[in-house]
Amino acid sequence: MALPAPLRPIQHHLRTAQEHEKRDPVVAYYCRLYAMQTGMKLDSKTPECRKFLVKLMDQLETMKKELNDNDSITQEVVGNAHIENYALKMFLYADNEDRSGRFHKNMIKSFYTASLLLDVLSVFGELSEENIQHRKYARWKATYIHNCLKSGEAPQPGPIGMDEDEEADEFGADGFSHGASFRGADPSHTFQDQGQDVAPGPAPGIGFTPGPASGPSGPPTTNYNNIQVPPGAHAPANTPAELPPPSGGVHLSPEDFTKAQKYCKYAGSALQYEDVSTAVQNLQKALKLLTTGKE
């Protein structure tokens, strides 16, 4: 069924869902859930839009039944970790390629898809300021590099000047615009999987902020005009000895227990990607919260 014009802003999220149907059904499910929730706000009254959204709801129900034994579907906190891990994995891949001066279709696609998946995180609640900035930077970078290659210019690698209101002027809020050309085609159609993941390598995990593609960890902080990017994403986590000893007088609120549980879930998700550093960091955060009552 064709996408009605009023629902056009969700087209790229639906396309991302379709691309991940077999590769990662969890990503496909939450992309469609975001599309459905956003579509309801855009137009749920006109017959054409209502018919489309009802069909999308049916598709979500079917997927939910098929994936009823998957913790990422049945437990929101695990689903949140899964999508955030995946988005940051794609961001890291594109950021490393960009900083190394390797500009190609898959890295543009990875930047843009990362921005779409950061949109999707809003189904779990408000985005963190960090993820809002990552989303803005990723979408702007995809636009900038796409436009450079389209016009035959050489893109500048790494974080360069970005105006506060400059994000994706050609692509706009809807993402890649119809009619935009990249070697003769709409960029959102040209990035085919070709049998491989466009973002290979280990996931950075929850709490990750991208650092340089190479070099030792620990140099001065870089920032993309207000986007703080501490280098050394895989630097060793705090050791237990650095944590204050448990205090019997600590009073934890229900929210504290929920946050601690989240950190433990994030650690478990990071271990699925064999990302030991991120798992340790999140377990340390949980331990610190439980022993001091502070993050």
Side-chain angles (χ1 to χ4, degrees):
M1 181 179 177
L3 182 70
L7 302 181
R8 183 179 167 186
I10 63 174
Q11 64 180 330
H12 298 290
H13 301 89
L14 290 173
R15 184 175 295 142
T16 300
Q18 189 174 6
E19 291 170 353
H20 288 79
E21 197 80 62
K22 294 182 179 178
R23 184 197 306 169
D24 193 323
V26 172
V27 170
Y29 174 82
Y30 283 112
C31 283
R32 290 193 175 111
L33 181 60
Y34 171 85
M36 190 270 291
Q37 291 179 354
T38 304
M40 292 289 287
K41 296 174 185 175
L42 291 170
D43 188 342
S44 61
K45 295 182 178 180
T46 58
E48 187 182 19
C49 291
R50 181 177 294 182
K51 184 177 180 181
F52 184 92
L53 291 171
V54 167
K55 185 177 179 181
L56 186 56
M57 288 179 196
D58 291 341
Q59 190 175 15
L60 281 165
E61 283 301 315
T62 299
M63 291 187 73
K64 194 170 185 178
K65 290 177 182 177
E66 292 173 349
L67 299 170
N68 65 354
D69 59 344
N70 191 314
D71 286 347
S72 292
I73 301 298
T74 59
Q75 300 180 45
E76 279 196 1
V77 68
V78 183
N80 190 347
H82 185 102
I83 299 301
E84 190 170 11
N85 263 325
Y86 199 97
L88 294 176
K89 172 185 176 182
M90 300 197 87
F91 186 101
L92 176 64
Y93 166 72
D95 188 54
N96 284 344
E97 290 294 283
D98 175 41
R99 289 167 185 266
S100 300
R102 294 188 291 266
F103 305 107
H104 50 85
K105 293 186 295 182
N106 274 352
M107 67 91 70
I108 301 173
K109 174 69 170 179
S110 291
F111 264 135
Y112 189 63
T113 301
S115 77
L116 295 176
L117 293 177
L118 290 169
D119 285 339
V120 171
L121 282 177
S122 65
V123 304
F124 304 105
E126 289 188 20
L127 295 184
S128 68
E129 183 60 30
E130 183 182 38
N131 281 336
I132 290 172
Q133 295 298 331
H134 278 134
R135 178 179 64 180
K136 180 176 181 179
Y137 181 78
R139 195 162 293 175
W140 170 75
K141 258 295 183 178
T143 308
Y144 166 72
I145 297 170
H146 162 76
N147 287 343
C148 284
L149 296 182
K150 175 182 167 186
S151 62
E153 297 176 22
Q156 294 185 45
I160 57 177
M162 177 175 68
D163 295 336
E164 284 299 312
D165 58 350
E166 184 179 7
E167 183 170 348
D169 33 345
E170 180 188 346
F171 299 162
D174 299 352
F176 292 110
S177 63
H178 283 294
S181 62
F182 181 80
R183 296 184 183 175
D186 180 342
S188 57
H189 289 287
T190 60
F191 311 117
Q192 303 300 325
D193 292 341
Q194 299 175 347
Q196 61 183 7
D197 193 330
V198 297
I206 301 305
F208 159 81
T209 46
S214 60
S217 62
T221 297
T222 307
N223 81 62
Y224 311 141
N225 293 2
N226 297 329
I227 304 178
Q228 296 299 318
V229 187
H234 297 287
N238 293 335
T239 62
E242 294 172 346
L243 292 174
S247 169
V250 173
H251 296 287
L252 300 175
S253 67
E255 290 77 14
D256 291 332
F257 285 109
T258 300
K259 287 180 182 178
Q261 185 183 35
K262 268 190 177 184
Y263 287 133
C264 291
K265 294 291 185 183
Y266 292 165
S269 178
L271 287 174
Q272 290 180 356
Y273 293 98
E274 300 181 1
D275 187 350
V276 176
S277 175
T278 298
V280 171
Q281 288 175 19
N282 281 284
L283 289 172
Q284 292 292 341
K285 288 178 181 179
L287 183 58
K288 182 177 179 181
L289 180 60
L290 292 172
T291 55
T292 68
K294 298 178 182 180
E295 292 188 78

